[in-house]
Amino acid sequence: MKKVFIDGKAGTTGLRIEERLSARDDIEIVTLPDELRKDPTAKKEVLNSVDVAFLCLPDQAAIESVSLIDNPNVCVIDTSTAHRTNPDWAYGFAELGSEFEEKIKNSKRIAVPGCHASGFIALVYPLVKAGVLPKDALLTAHSLTGYSGGGKKMIADYENDELDMLLNGPRQYALAQKHKHLPEMTKITGLENAPVFCPIVGSFYSGMEVTIPLFKSQLTNGATIDRVKEIYKNTYKGPIVSYNEANDEEGFLSSVRYEDYDSMSIEVYGNDDRIILVARYDNLGKGASGAAVECLNIVLGEPKTKTLVI
């Protein structure tokens, strides 16, 4: 039985990881008493005693927790932004290719992708790799997310009995174009330019929809909408990430379609002149906790979908 510690289990990501693992008979979840959660000596001891440590912490706290680990056998799965562009860490999106999955499988340091970044990278990386989207492409991306992605304060704001009127409508943010997911979105896809990124938070708990619009003129090598679909069909065959044809809801796309699931749907709409690339999933599922548990399953040699909701 493998021992697992969730550092920061009181947050939304940690709670869902614990939920996914709690029924497993191959996992023992090691805990610290509440009064010792921030005690560096106690934390160091438990971090070095387990097989796998999930870090569900702010960036600086995640870096500090990693610095406490001197046992080379401890595998760290970090859900923060801190290590996602570090080449010494595996990037935890196995569906991008065998090289990604093998690095996860053989690494002791794994960075879980960001929620917004997961959809953007899933859509862009295969097209760049196939040579139909140039590395110098200038892209725009919109991402509609549930408020749980904003953490405890935002959740409290939205679930307040005296809800601010302005929270009833979708709200765009990261207006200065300095969102913390932009570095990994650029680096992992191989793009030379960060996209114009427009994240929007809605008044629903969880769910995510990332959309990238393209003109045909942005594609190279004579690629068409059918070629784009073919690339996705060959890349994402499930069970966690899959390409789905005509997956709309009577002409609409709901951002909560995959709420509470750990899967991701890749979709393409539009025509030969104007194309819409879409990724739909749960920001706490494949966008966070589900992706983290999938990485654990790969490390342990278990089926990737074990205890995930697909």
Side-chain angles (χ1 to χ4, degrees), residues 93 95-97 100 118-133 188-190 227-228 230-236 241 266 277:
F93 202 124
E95 291 79 11
L96 295 179
F100 285 85
S118 294
F120 181 85
I121 291 168
L123 294 169
V124 173
Y125 178 83
L127 303 187
V128 173
K129 183 178 180 181
V132 303
L133 190 65
I188 302 301
T189 58
R227 174 63 177 138
V228 171
E230 179 186 24
I231 291 168
Y232 289 147
K233 288 177 186 176
N234 291 334
T235 303
Y236 301 123
V241 183
I266 301 297
L277 312 177

Side-chain angles (χ1 to χ4, degrees), residues 120 137-143 172 174-175 177 182 185 191 193-199 211-213:
F120 181 85
L138 298 175
L139 301 178
T140 297
H142 292 82
S143 184
Q172 187 167 321
L175 304 181
Q177 290 299 305
L182 284 171
M185 291 161 71
L191 290 174
N193 307 290
V196 175
F197 181 48
C198 306
T211 302
I212 301 173

Side-chain angles (χ1 to χ4, degrees), residues 7 53 61 85 99 112 115 169 180 189-190 196 228 254 256 263 273 287 292 296:
D7 194 356
T85 60
E99 65 273 26
V112 178
C115 54
K180 65 180 182 178
T189 58
V196 175
V228 171
S254 173
V256 299
S263 53
D273 294 320
L296 172 71

Side-chain angles (χ1 to χ4, degrees), residues 99-165:
E99 65 273 26
F100 285 85
E101 183 165 349
E102 283 302 307
K103 190 168 183 178
I104 295 167
K105 182 179 179 179
N106 296 305
S107 180
K108 294 295 185 184
R109 297 290 183 268
I110 302 164
V112 178
C115 54
H116 297 290
S118 294
F120 181 85
I121 291 168
L123 294 169
V124 173
Y125 178 83
L127 303 187
V128 173
K129 183 178 180 181
V132 303
L133 190 65
K135 291 185 176 181
D136 63 355
L138 298 175
L139 301 178
T140 297
H142 292 82
S143 184
L144 182 57
T145 182
Y147 59 77
S148 59
K152 288 183 177 180
K153 183 183 183 304
M154 184 174 285
I155 292 171
D157 288 342
Y158 274 90
E159 296 183 351
N160 189 322
D161 290 338
E162 298 180 2
L163 181 69
D164 187 319
M165 180 187 70

Side-chain angles (χ1 to χ4, degrees), residues 119 123 144 207-211 240-242 244 246-249 252-259 261-267 269 277-283 286:
L123 294 169
L144 182 57
M208 183 161 273
E209 180 178 328
V210 176
T211 302
I240 295 175
V241 183
S242 58
N244 293 290
N247 198 36
D248 60 294
E249 298 88 42
F252 293 87
L253 293 174
S254 173
S255 54
V256 299
R257 171 76 176 270
Y258 293 91
E259 184 180 12
Y261 287 88
D262 297 309
S263 53
M264 175 186 285
S265 176
I266 301 297
E267 305 163 22
Y269 301 94
L277 312 177
V278 179
R280 292 195 288 171
Y281 50 106
D282 189 324
N283 58 290
K286 183 58 173 168

